[in-house]
Amino acid sequence: MTDSKYFTTTKKGEIFELKAELNSDKKEKKKEAVKKVIASMTVGKDVSALFPDVVNCMQTDNLELKKLVYLYLMNYAKSQPDMAIMAVNTFVKDCEDPNPLIRALAVRTMGCIRVDKITEYLCEPLRKCLKDEDPYVRKTAAVCVAKLHDINAQLVEDQGFLDTLKDLISDSNPMVVANAVAALSEIAESHPNSNLLDLNPQTINKLLTALNECTEWGQIFILDCLANYTPRDDRESQSICERVTPRLSHANSAVVLSAVKVLMKFMEMLPKDLDYYGTLLKKLAPPLVTLLSAEPELQYVALRNINLIVQRRPEILKHEMKVFFVKYNDPIYVKLEKLDIMIRLASQANIAQVLAELKEYATEVDVDFVRKAVRAIGRCAIKVEQSAERCVSTLLDLIQTKVNYVVQEAIVVIKDIFRKYPNKYESVIATLCENLDSLDEPEARAAMIWIVGEYAERIDNADELLESFLEGFHDESTQVQLQLLTAIVKLFLKKPTETQELVQQVLSLATQDSDNPDLRDRGYIYWRLLSTDPVAAKEVVLAEKPLISEETDLIEPTLLEELICHIGTLASVYHKPPSAFVEGSRGVQHKRLPGSAGSGESVESPDTGSAAGVSEAPPAVIPSQGDLLGDLLNLDLTPPTTTGPPPPSSGMQMGAMDLLGGGLDSLMGDESEPLGGDLGGSPAMGAGFSAPPAAMPASFSAPVSGGLDDLFDLGGGVGMPMGAYSPPKTVWLPAMKAKGLEISGTFARRAGVIQMEMTLTNKAMSGMADFAIQFNRNSFGLAPAGPLQILTPLPPNQSIEAVLPLSTVGPVMKMEPLNNLQVAVKNNIDVFYFSCQYPISMLFVEDGKMERQVFLATWKDIPNDNESQFQIKDCHLNSDAASNKLQGSNIFTIAKRTVEGQDMLYQSMKLTNGIWVLAELRVQAGNPNYTISLKCRAPEVSQCVFQNYEMVLKN
C-alpha cells in the first residue's frame, strides 16, 4: 500500500490518537504515526500540539524516522522556539554519530532552524563538522555556515567560521571546494564590500583543479566565482581560458553558459592578433548552437543569452546564420527571438539568404510573427545598404498581397527607409497612397501621414489626402493627431496659397477643441511661428533631418557589459541589471568587463583633492557628450552683438570651467607654493579664479583695450615665439552635404589669439548670404569671439576667405576625442552641421614656461599612474632644432641634459584652462625614433599632446 493512506484519515480526536501512537513502544507504530503527522502538516493542518511527542521520537537509530522528525522540527521550530531548545541536545549528539549521513543530516537541519535562541548552541557542533573527516559532512557544513550567516552574521564572524570556510577552498575534495565557494559567494553577495573571496592566482589554480571533478552544480558555482576574478595579464587570462574551455562540451546547459560567461569576460584581456583569440572564437560557436537543439524553454534562455553575445562579439556566430532560421513547430517566443538574432547577424555576405527567409515568414499565419518579419526586412535595409533596393522591392511585393496587417507594417518600415536613404526610393509613394483607406492602426496611419507631409511637393493631391484624415480628427489617437498637425503645417509651408484653409482648420482643432496638452502646445507653437516669422517656421519645420542609425535597439554599452557578466542568470533573460528586479541590497553589485588589452580604458580622472589649507571649490560637473543636433538646435544662431576685438586667450580666462570636472584648484592647489615664486608671489589659484592674484603680470590681468597694438603687446616680458605651425586646410563640409556650400579650414594661434581660418566656396547655382556660425559645447570651451564677418553675398562658383577669432569662455563638455569640435553654419538656404578636430597646441598659452625648481617639484608630485609614454617615429631633427620648432607652438624647453649620447629635453606647456603638461623628450643622435614621456594631472590630455608633438616635429 502506498503512502497516500496517510492523507485520507478524517477521524475525530485525531490529535489525541496520534499522541498515543507517538508514545507507543513499537517502533513501527511510531514511524507510522510520524508519517501521519507529516502528512497532516503537508496538507496544512496544525499539528504543533504534538511538538514534544514528535521531538521524543528523535532518539532513534532509524534514519528514515530521524529525517521525518527533522522535517517536522524545521517547520514548527519558528512557532515553538522554547520547545525547539529541547531538541538541541539531540542535535549535538547526532553531530558526533558514527554514521556520516546522520552527522550531515543534523548539521543541515540546524542550519534550517531559523531561531536565534538555538543558533548559539549550534556553533560547537558546526565547528566540528567543518573539520569532519568525511567530505560529505564537510560540504554540508559549508552550506550551513551561509545559512547561519543569514540568521546571525555577527555570530559567524565572531566564531571564525568565515576563515574556516576560506580554508575549505584548499580542501582535497572537489565537492567541498564547490560548496565552500558557493557559501562564500552567497555571503559576499549580501556584503558587497567585504573581501571574502580573496581571489589570487593560487586560489584560482585550486578552483580550476577542483572544476574537473565536481558535480555539475559545483562546476557552476566555481565558474561563477572565476567570472569575478580579474587576471593580472593576458597570459594568465589565456591560461584560465584554456582550462575552462573543456566545460563548453558539458551536457548541462547551465555549465555551458557559465563557461561562456567566463570566456567572454577573459577574452577582453586577450590581444585580438593572438592566434589563440581566433581559436577561442571558433570554439565558442558549437556549444551555443548545440543549446538550440534543447526543449523550447531552454532554447529561449539560450537565445536571450546569444542575443547579448552577438551584440558584443558578432564574429562568434557570423557563419551560423542557418541555425537561427525558424522551424515550423517553434513556439512564438522562440521564433521572435530567432528573428532578432538573424537581423543582428545580417551582413552583406548573407543578406540574400536572410531576405529570402524573411519573405517566406511574411506569408505565415501567425500575425505577431508576420509583423516582426516585415519589420525585420526594414531593419535589414537600414543595416545593410547594399540590400536596401532588394528590401524595398520585397516590401512592395508584400504590399501587393493586400493583407491588411502586412501592408500596415510595410508602410511603417518604409517610412524608416525614407529617413535612412533620402531622395532614393520616393518613387514608391504612389503605391503607398493606393492603400491609404485600408490603414486602421495608429502607427501605420501616423507613418503614412508623415510620408505625405514630408513629400507633399511630389504628391499632387497631398491636400486631399490629409483632409481625408482630418475629418475624424478627434477620433484619432494622439500619435496620429500630432503627426497630422505637423504634416499639414509642412504642406502649408510648401504650398501656401492652396492650403491656407486647411492649416487654419487643423490649428483650430488642435488648440481650441482639444484637451491634450501636448497637441495644444504644438498647435500654439506652429500658430505663433507661422504668424510672426514664416521664414523661421520654414527653418524649424522643414529642417533637414539626421539620418537614422542602423541599430536603434542595441543595448547601451555599459549595460551590455554588465549583462555579459551575468550570462546564465535571470538578468541575461530579462536583459535588465539585477538591481532592476532584485529587491533589497542583494545582487545589486554592478559588474564591468575588464579593459581590453592595450587599451587605455582604465585611465581614471585625476585626483581632485586640493592641497592642505586651500578651500576646496565644488568640482565643475561636465555632462557627457550629447546628441549633436539636440545641442546645436538649442543654440541661438544670430550673430553676437559685440563688435570689440576678442579677449586674450590666457590661462585666466577659463574661470571655473575645468576640462575634466576636477575644479582648477585640484590642478593648481598642490603647486601653489612653488608657483608663488613664478607668478610674483600670487596666492593659490583655486576657487574658480574669482579675482586676479595680487601681483599678476600685466599681460594677465589687463583687458585688451582695442586694436592690434594690444594683441601684439601681450609680452609683459614673455617673448612671442614666431613660426608657430598650423596644419594645412582640409575640407570640413563637402558641398554635396551642404546644398552647394563647401567649407575648408584650419586652426592657428597668432599673437596669442586662436583663429579659425576658413575658405567658403559656393558650388550652388544661386548666391549665398546671411552667414552665421555657432559651436556646440566642447572640452575647452571654444566659442566664436565675434560674428562670422562675411559682409558681401557669396556668388555662385566663387570663394571667400574668413578668419574667425575664438575665445575659450564657452560652455564646457568633455568630447570624444577630446579635441573634437562640432559646428553649425547657417546661411540664407539652411543650417549645416559638421565636426572637425583642432590641434591642441592652439590652446598652449604663451606663459607656459615653468621655473626649473617648480618643474622638478611638480613632476615628482604628479602620480606615476598619470605618466604616458609614446614613440615618435621617423623624425630626423637634432635636439636643438626640435626644441626651437616646439617653442613656436608654446612648448617650452626648461632644461636639457645629455646622458650617454642621448639628449633629454624637459619641457612644459600650459593649456588655456590652467592645466599644465610636463614632458621629457629623448633624442638619440642617429636614431630617427624619439621617446616622449608626458605627465599631467589630467591624463586624458596626453594622447592629444602626443599627436601634436608628432604633427609639429614632422612638418
Side-chain angles (χ1 to χ4, degrees):
M1 193 173 171
T2 65
D3 286 348
S4 60
K5 62 179 179 180
Y6 301 115
F7 292 90
T8 54
T9 171
T10 51
K11 280 190 254 170
K12 287 184 180 174
E14 196 177 359
I15 298 286
F16 183 75
E17 284 183 16
L18 284 170
K19 201 179 182 80
E21 286 178 23
L22 286 168
N23 292 318
S24 162
D25 296 335
K26 293 178 181 168
K27 281 186 181 176
E28 274 311 307
K29 217 168 187 185
K30 246 187 194 175
K31 193 156 95 177
E32 292 292 306
V34 173
K35 283 187 178 179
K36 286 179 190 170
V37 171
I38 298 293
S40 301
M41 180 180 89
T42 309
V43 295
K45 287 184 186 169
D46 181 15
V47 283
S48 56
L50 297 168
F51 199 93
D53 305 287
V54 176
V55 170
N56 284 339
C57 298
M58 278 173 83
Q59 311 288 346
T60 174
D61 300 331
N62 187 315
L63 189 59
E64 188 185 1
L65 181 55
K66 217 177 235 327
K67 278 184 182 174
L68 291 170
V69 174
Y70 278 174
L71 198 61
Y72 176 88
L73 206 56
M74 281 189 263
N75 197 38
Y76 282 116
K78 193 109 189 194
S79 57
Q80 307 263 355
D82 297 330
M83 303 289 270
I85 291 180
M86 292 162 48
V88 167
N89 283 337
T90 316
F91 280 137
V92 175
K93 211 163 119 194
D94 281 356
C95 284
E96 291 173 2
D97 195 276
N99 184 343
L101 289 176
I102 289 181
R103 295 202 297 274
L105 181 63
V107 84
R108 179 185 291 124
T109 311
M110 285 192 310
C112 294
I113 295 178
R114 304 178 62 81
V115 177
D116 282 337
K117 285 182 183 177
I118 293 184
T119 45
E120 54 204 70
Y121 295 109
L122 307 185
C123 295
E124 224 29 66
L126 181 57
R127 187 175 283 106
K128 284 180 185 165
C129 289
L130 280 166
K131 297 196 165 112
D132 198 282
E133 60 194 24
D134 193 285
Y136 181 73
V137 180
R138 291 200 301 277
K139 85 175 180 70
T140 311
V143 177
C144 186
V145 174
K147 290 177 178 172
L148 196 57
H149 188 275
D150 198 32
I151 302 165
N152 189 339
Q154 196 56 49
L155 180 74
V156 170
E157 284 161 31
D158 295 346
Q159 293 285 341
F161 287 145
L162 294 181
D163 295 328
T164 317
L165 211 48
K166 286 180 192 172
D167 295 341
L168 287 183
I169 290 182
S170 310
D171 198 278
S172 56
N173 186 289
M175 266 321 297
V176 178
V177 176
N179 277 17
V181 167
L184 284 168
S185 303
E186 178 82 16
I187 295 168
E189 248 179 47
S190 55
H191 291 67
N193 301 324
S194 63
N195 189 19
L196 284 178
L197 271 163
D198 181 21
L199 296 174
N200 53 44
Q202 292 73 30
T203 316
I204 293 297
N205 196 31
K206 288 170 188 165
L207 294 184
L208 287 166
T209 309
L211 187 62
N212 298 327
E213 301 164 44
C214 275
T215 65
E216 48 198 24
W217 297 110
Q219 290 181 24
I220 293 164
F221 288 134
I222 291 176
L223 287 167
D224 288 349
C225 178
L226 285 173
N228 294 326
Y229 176 61
T230 306
R232 290 166 306 175
D233 53 25
D234 53 343
R235 282 183 60 192
E236 188 184 3
S237 191
Q238 181 177 339
S239 146
I240 294 172
C241 288
E242 283 168 352
R243 293 176 71 178
V244 168
T245 311
R247 300 299 110 218
L248 292 173
S249 51
H250 200 283
N252 186 324
S253 51
V255 176
V256 174
L257 282 177
S258 289
V260 168
K261 169 167 60 183
V262 174
L263 296 173
M264 283 293 288
K265 185 172 176 182
F266 289 0
M267 274 170 83
E268 297 289 331
M269 306 266 302
L270 298 176
K272 289 192 168 56
D273 52 2
L274 199 70
D275 289 344
Y276 180 70
Y277 180 84
T279 315
L280 194 53
L281 284 179
K282 286 180 190 149
K283 283 184 179 171
L284 275 168
L288 292 173
V289 170
T290 307
L291 290 177
L292 298 182
S293 54
E295 51 268 36
E297 292 80 7
L298 277 179
Q299 273 188 57
Y300 178 72
V301 171
L303 287 165
R304 292 293 279 176
N305 281 279
I306 289 169
N307 200 327
L308 297 174
I309 293 163
V310 163
Q311 286 183 55
R312 184 75 191 173
R313 298 207 179 279
E315 62 270 29
I316 292 177
L317 290 161
K318 65 179 178 187
H319 300 305
E320 303 292 344
M321 177 63 88
K322 280 194 170 166
V323 298
F324 299 106
F325 285 176
V326 170
K327 299 192 180 87
Y328 75 96
N329 58 350
D330 280 341
I332 182 68
Y333 54 87
V334 169
K335 284 181 176 176
L336 296 178
E337 208 54 44
K338 280 185 174 178
L339 258 185
D340 210 25
I341 295 168
M342 277 170 68
I343 297 154
R344 296 208 193 287
L345 291 174
S347 64
Q348 209 178 330
N350 57 25
I351 195 73
Q353 208 180 7
V354 171
L355 274 179
E357 195 73 14
L358 291 175
K359 192 173 179 183
E360 199 66 39
Y361 299 162
T363 56
E364 289 264 346
V365 288
D366 192 318
V367 178
D368 283 342
F369 181 51
V370 171
R371 283 176 183 281
K372 183 107 179 192
V374 176
R375 293 242 167 160
I377 295 171
R379 276 174 65 189
C380 286
I382 289 164
K383 187 175 179 190
V384 186
E385 192 170 344
Q386 294 78 0
S387 74
E389 203 158 325
R390 192 183 286 165
C391 292
V392 172
S393 65
T394 305
L395 289 167
L396 288 175
D397 292 348
L398 293 171
I399 288 174
Q400 299 306 340
T401 61
K402 301 288 182 196
V403 177
N404 188 297
Y405 54 86
V406 175
V407 172
Q408 307 205 58
E409 284 296 336
I411 286 174
V412 172
V413 298
I414 285 175
K415 179 201 78 170
D416 288 341
I417 293 172
F418 284 170
R419 284 283 306 277
K420 176 74 176 173
Y421 309 109
N423 306 321
K424 209 164 177 188
Y425 301 109
E426 280 73 13
S427 53
V428 307
I429 291 175
T431 316
L432 303 184
C433 292
E434 291 167 15
N435 294 281
L436 209 65
D437 300 334
S438 64
L439 307 180
D440 53 17
E441 290 171 14
E443 200 178 355
R445 288 172 79 83
M448 193 65 226
I449 291 166
W450 181 87
I451 291 168
V452 173
E454 189 66 16
Y455 302 102
E457 69 276 16
R458 305 183 189 209
I459 304 171
D460 300 333
N461 62 337
D463 50 344
E464 289 171 27
L465 296 176
L466 292 175
E467 203 169 354
S468 67
F469 282 106
L470 205 56
E471 288 160 10
F473 186 77
H474 288 303
D475 302 328
E476 299 285 5
S477 71
T478 307
Q479 185 184 6
V480 176
Q481 290 176 334
L482 287 165
Q483 204 57 265
L484 192 53
L485 172 61
T486 303
I488 291 174
V489 172
K490 282 181 188 171
L491 175 65
F492 171 71
L493 290 168
K494 289 173 183 177
K495 302 179 181 177
T497 48
E498 307 153 39
T499 54
Q500 196 151 353
E501 265 184 49
L502 190 62
V503 82
Q504 282 175 339
Q505 191 184 347
V506 77
L507 287 172
S508 144
L509 283 167
T511 54
Q512 291 163 23
D513 306 345
S514 170
D515 298 332
N516 185 319
D518 292 340
L519 187 62
R520 272 208 314 270
D521 287 354
R522 193 183 287 193
Y524 279 126
I525 288 170
Y526 285 151
W527 201 319
R528 284 170 193 153
L529 265 175
L530 293 170
S531 56
T532 56
D533 191 350
V535 178
K538 209 162 189 171
E539 284 183 7
V540 171
V541 181
L542 301 180
E544 198 170 313
K545 286 151 202 65
L547 300 182
I548 59 174
S549 67
E550 57 176 56
E551 289 285 11
T552 47
D553 59 340
L554 282 178
I555 292 174
E556 191 265 324
T558 47
L559 174 59
L560 181 62
E561 282 194 8
E562 189 175 350
L563 293 178
I564 292 284
C565 295
H566 289 293
I567 283 178
T569 67
L570 266 183
S572 67
V573 179
Y574 289 153
H575 287 189
K576 289 178 183 174
S579 53
F581 58 87
V582 176
E583 287 185 4
S585 62
R586 282 170 173 260
V588 184
Q589 218 177 340
H590 292 287
K591 297 185 180 182
R592 293 290 302 275
L593 291 174
S596 56
S599 82
E601 283 176 30
S602 57
V603 175
E604 294 201 359
S605 291
D607 180 28
T608 53
S610 300
V614 179
S615 61
E616 264 188 55
V621 177
I622 292 191
S624 60
Q625 182 176 345
D627 172 30
L628 167 65
L629 254 180
D631 282 331
L632 286 174
L633 285 178
N634 291 332
L635 299 173
D636 179 11
L637 279 166
T638 54
T641 51
T642 54
T643 52
S649 182
S650 78
M652 301 315 296
Q653 261 185 326
M654 267 304 283
M657 296 296 191
D658 176 15
L659 166 68
L660 297 158
L664 277 178
D665 48 349
S666 68
L667 294 172
M668 306 298 291
D670 295 346
E671 297 165 19
S672 56
E673 292 284 332
L675 275 172
D678 197 23
L679 295 173
S682 65
M685 297 163 128
F689 296 116
S690 51
M696 181 67 73
S699 62
F700 277 119
S701 49
V704 175
S705 54
L708 283 171
D709 303 340
D710 289 301
L711 289 175
F712 281 101
D713 193 24
L714 266 172
V718 180
M720 278 304 304
M722 297 305 290
Y725 172 74
S726 78
K729 285 184 179 174
T730 53
V731 175
W732 286 338
L733 181 67
M736 59 182 289
K737 285 193 175 177
K739 300 183 180 174
L741 172 66
E742 180 179 281
I743 300 177
S744 54
T746 184
F747 292 87
R749 185 179 181 93
R750 306 199 191 280
V753 178
I754 306 170
Q755 295 179 344
M756 190 177 189
E757 299 175 351
M758 293 176 283
T759 304
L760 285 77
T761 307
N762 181 357
K763 296 189 175 179
M765 306 297 284
S766 56
M768 295 179 181
D770 304 332
F771 285 93
I773 192 165
Q774 188 59 282
F775 295 173
N776 198 357
R777 294 175 292 172
N778 53 78
S779 304
F780 295 91
L782 283 177
L788 185 57
Q789 300 284 4
I790 299 175
L791 303 174
T792 53
L794 181 56
N797 298 315
Q798 296 289 313
S799 295
I800 193 166
E801 301 292 327
V803 175
L804 180 70
L806 306 181
S807 72
T808 53
V809 291
V812 176
M813 175 175 78
K814 188 177 174 188
M815 301 295 284
E816 194 58 56
L818 214 55
N819 58 340
N820 195 24
L821 182 65
Q822 297 174 337
V823 185
V825 172
K826 176 176 103 76
N827 61 13
N828 59 330
I829 296 170
D830 209 339
V831 181
F832 307 108
Y833 304 98
F834 65 89
S835 62
C836 53
Q837 290 182 15
Y838 48 90
I840 203 165
S841 57
M842 300 303 112
L843 306 168
F844 294 160
V845 294
E846 284 65 30
D847 65 314
K849 188 166 185 176
M850 264 189 183
E851 293 286 324
R852 285 192 182 199
Q853 291 78 7
V854 179
F855 182 93
L856 198 60
T858 311
W859 184 276
K860 286 178 182 171
D861 195 39
I862 296 173
N864 289 334
D865 292 349
N866 286 19
E867 184 174 350
S868 309
Q869 200 170 66
F870 304 96
Q871 286 271 322
I872 301 173
K873 295 184 176 172
D874 301 324
C875 196
H876 299 279
L877 299 171
N878 64 25
S879 59
D880 292 338
S883 177
N884 291 338
K885 206 166 191 184
L886 291 165
Q887 182 150 349
S889 296
N890 292 342
I891 298 172
F892 299 98
T893 301
I894 289 154
K896 173 184 168 183
R897 65 190 181 110
T898 306
V899 180
E900 296 175 2
Q902 189 177 50
D903 290 342
M904 323 269 263
L905 299 179
Y906 296 96
Q907 299 173 321
S908 73
M909 61 225 84
K910 179 179 167 191
L911 290 155
T912 50
N913 59 357
I915 289 177
W916 288 88
V917 184
L918 311 185
E920 179 192 70
L921 184 66
R922 297 179 195 178
V923 181
Q924 178 94 42
N927 182 355
N929 298 341
Y930 296 178
T931 303
I932 181 169
S933 299
L934 295 171
K935 259 194 169 188
C936 177
R937 292 189 191 280
E940 290 85 343
V941 178
S942 299
Q943 183 66 34
C944 288
V945 174
F946 156 65
Q947 287 165 356
N948 197 76
Y949 261 85
E950 206 167 33
M951 181 179 74
V952 172
L953 290 171
K954 288 188 178 182
N955 290 289

